[in-house]
């Protein structure tokens, strides 16, 4: 049940927001600027790669890894395979997670690690695997973390995560960052950008062992300072969703990296436009803006008491829809189903004709409005990152919704680059998930 009066009570929203979710969403633009500065100081902007890697592999806990891989793959347009290395383990706790490189990974590939924590024991072990195989390595994590030391000893590029938009103490560049502006990135087939692994001689080093053994996770932890918890980091940022603000702190340095290797067009000017777009969305969707002019509050109110069917068109919109479904489940405790158009028309068609349909089982006049909640109804949310064209399935989706008397909402970003459109869709849905979580009586 949604308390809609809370949506237009900024002070009450602030009291309910004990985890700083609204602040994190509002700071997304500033996080982009801070993260870009950290990445430039680590040497990302000065890398001069010689060609593209064969594949990009992304690892990280929870949605920090999955959302990063999803968005990088969507923005790359399929030019290079972008794959997620999913963790295994007996529990979602960081200490139980383990990552393993696929057997085909080697010197031609790039491994990217994104984590808001950096204390997961399984990630230094993954770093060691990459080192032994000659795989190029880049990590974005808190600067004072065991992972930072492991990446430095493996001669990888470490970018300190922007833990706050205002650079609190301890959030500056990591003392373990080894990349320098005068170092160049390798061609596919060499080791990490700006470095080269020792040569492997199969006749003297069986099974591809390196001349210098890579440090183990335990050794790396002994050579690093104690971990300092970044201010404002919520516990569930590690295994839960990449929360508003945190996602951009992880994604921005990687966008600069893939720009250098020619995978995504993300020069400094484009990232500044992304930050500006995020700031404008924050102004439109802030807690002081009334619901009737606030697209995020409006969407949150529309989703109350409904089963959201997130129908997406376009790779960026598809990645946004999957992230939105994850945020709704984790933050607001609401189920949601995401599917790409036109396949969603068939995949969810039965839902629109069954008990979840908008016109099914009209409301019982004698139902107790206090004790008996209203029946759950499907609501279609159309997300598309391009204007509706002649081959778009969006008009068919609208017609199907009307034919089944199913309510629908629609989000289309303003004109701009693919990065700007992605930023707008992500920001509005982030704010909507936060408002739905804060104004839900059963959650607060």
């Amino acid at each position: 049940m949604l308390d809609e009066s809370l949506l237009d009570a900024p002070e009450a929203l602030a009291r309910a927001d004990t985890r700083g979710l609204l602040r994190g969403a509002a700071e997304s633009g500033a996080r982009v600027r801070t993260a870009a500065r950290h990445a430039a100081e680590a040497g990302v902007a000065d890398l001069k790669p010689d060609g593209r890697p064969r594949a990009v592999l992304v690892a990280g806990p929870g949605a920090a890894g999955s959302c990063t891989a999803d968005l990088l793959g969507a923005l790359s347009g399929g030019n290079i395979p972008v794959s997620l290395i999913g963790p295994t383990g007996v529990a979602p706790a960081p200490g139980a997670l383990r990552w393993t490189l696929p057997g085909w990974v080697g010197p031609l590939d790039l491994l990217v690690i994104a984590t808001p924590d950096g204390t997961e024991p399984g990630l230094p072990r993954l770093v060691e695997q990459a080192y032994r195989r000659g795989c190029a390595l880049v990590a974005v994590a808190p600067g004072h973390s065991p992972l930072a030391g492991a990446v430095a000893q493996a001669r990888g590029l470490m970018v300190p995560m922007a833990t706050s938009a205002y650079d609190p103490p301890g959030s500056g560049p990591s003392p373990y960052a080894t990349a320098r502006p005068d170092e160049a990135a390798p061609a596919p087939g060499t080791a990490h950008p700006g470095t080269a692994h020792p040569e492997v001689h199969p006749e003297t080093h069986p099974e591809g062992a390196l001349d210098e053994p890579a440090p183990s996770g335990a050794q790396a932890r002994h050579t690093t300072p104690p971990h300092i918890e970044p201010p404002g980091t919520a516990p569930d940022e590690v295994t839960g969703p990449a929360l508003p603000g945190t996602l951009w702190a992880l994604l921005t340095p990687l966008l600069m990296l893939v720009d250098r290797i020619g995978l995504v067009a993300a020069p400094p000017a484009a990232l500044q436009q992304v930050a500006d777009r995020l700031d404008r969305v924050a102004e439109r969707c802030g807690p002081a803006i009334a619901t009737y002019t606030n697209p995020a509050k409006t969407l949150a109110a529309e989703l109350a008491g409904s089963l959201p069917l997130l129908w997406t068109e376009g790779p960026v919109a598809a990645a946004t829809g999957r992230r939105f479904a994850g945020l709704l489940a984790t933050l607001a405790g609401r189920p949601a189903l995401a599917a790409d158009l036109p396949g969603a028309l068939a995949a969810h068609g039965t839902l629109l004709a069954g008990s979840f349909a908008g016109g099914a089982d009209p409301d019982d006049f004698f139902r107790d409005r206090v004790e008996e909640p209203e029946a759950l109804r499907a609501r279609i949310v159309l997300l598309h990152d391009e204007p509706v064209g002649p081959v778009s399935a969006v008009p068919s989706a609208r017609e199907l919704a009307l034919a089944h008397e199913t309510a629908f909402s629609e989000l289309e970003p303003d004109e701009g680059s693919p990065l700007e459109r992605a930023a707008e869709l992500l920001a509005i849905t982030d704010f909507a998930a936060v408002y739905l979580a804060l104004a839900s009586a059963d959650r607060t």
Side-chain angles (χ1 to χ4, degrees), residues 4 8 11 188 205 262 368 416:
E4 295 193 31
D8 288 323
E11 294 181 359
H205 298 272
D368 189 322

Side-chain angles (χ1 to χ4, degrees), residues 29-370:
R31 285 281 188 104
V32 169
R33 299 183 183 93
T34 304
R37 184 170 68 251
H38 285 186
E41 291 171 351
V44 173
D46 299 304
L47 296 176
K48 298 178 181 178
D50 183 14
R52 295 178 177 179
R54 176 178 60 180
V56 177
L57 296 99
V58 181
S66 60
C67 288
T68 299
D70 210 2
L71 288 167
L72 287 179
L75 292 167
S76 70
N79 293 326
I80 293 179
V82 179
S83 304
L84 172 69
I85 302 177
T88 59
V90 298
L97 299 178
R98 297 292 182 270
W99 289 263
T100 303
L101 285 177
W104 53 266
V105 174
L108 297 177
D109 307 304
L110 170 65
L111 172 63
V112 169
I113 298 177
T115 172
D117 184 50
T119 63
E120 304 89 342
L123 289 179
R125 295 188 179 96
L126 180 65
V127 169
E128 183 178 354
Q129 295 175 44
Y131 180 80
R132 292 190 178 279
R133 296 199 195 180
C135 182
L137 171 66
V138 177
V140 182
H144 299 291
S145 65
L147 178 62
V151 171
Q153 293 189 36
R155 302 180 183 180
L157 176 62
M158 174 66 204
V159 180
M161 174 184 161
T163 57
S164 170
Y166 305 106
D167 282 323
S171 66
S174 168
Y176 308 106
T178 57
R180 298 188 301 272
D182 57 340
E183 292 179 330
T190 62
H192 175 269
T195 63
H197 289 315
E199 207 174 357
V200 178
H201 302 282
E203 65 277 9
T204 58
H205 298 272
E207 298 183 5
L210 293 173
D211 291 342
E212 296 178 10
S216 67
Q219 291 173 325
R221 286 193 292 276
H222 284 308
T223 58
T224 60
H227 174 59
I228 300 175
E229 187 65 20
T233 300
D236 58 353
E237 288 193 57
V238 179
T239 55
L243 298 181
T246 302
L247 175 65
W248 288 105
L250 295 171
L251 185 62
T252 301
L254 301 180
L255 289 174
M256 295 177 64
L257 174 71
V258 295
D259 173 74
R260 300 304 300 163
I261 64 178
L263 184 59
V264 176
L271 292 178
Q272 181 60 48
Q273 292 172 344
V274 168
D276 293 342
R277 180 71 67 96
L278 290 170
D279 288 344
R280 290 195 295 271
V281 174
E283 292 175 358
R284 293 167 52 203
C285 298
I289 306 301
T291 299
Y292 66 91
T293 59
N294 188 320
K297 288 183 179 180
T298 299
L299 181 57
E302 291 172 345
L303 294 182
S306 69
L307 173 64
L309 304 180
L310 310 178
W311 292 0
T312 63
E313 185 171 74
V316 170
T320 302
R322 289 187 286 269
R323 170 174 166 77
F324 190 28
L327 284 175
L328 288 174
T330 308
L331 296 184
R334 303 295 182 94
L337 300 176
D340 301 342
L341 290 171
L345 302 177
H348 294 167
T350 304
L351 286 172
L352 301 183
S355 59
F356 292 104
D361 295 328
D363 193 16
D364 184 1
F365 179 80
F366 299 101
R367 177 176 62 88
D368 189 322
R369 267 50 178 180
V370 176

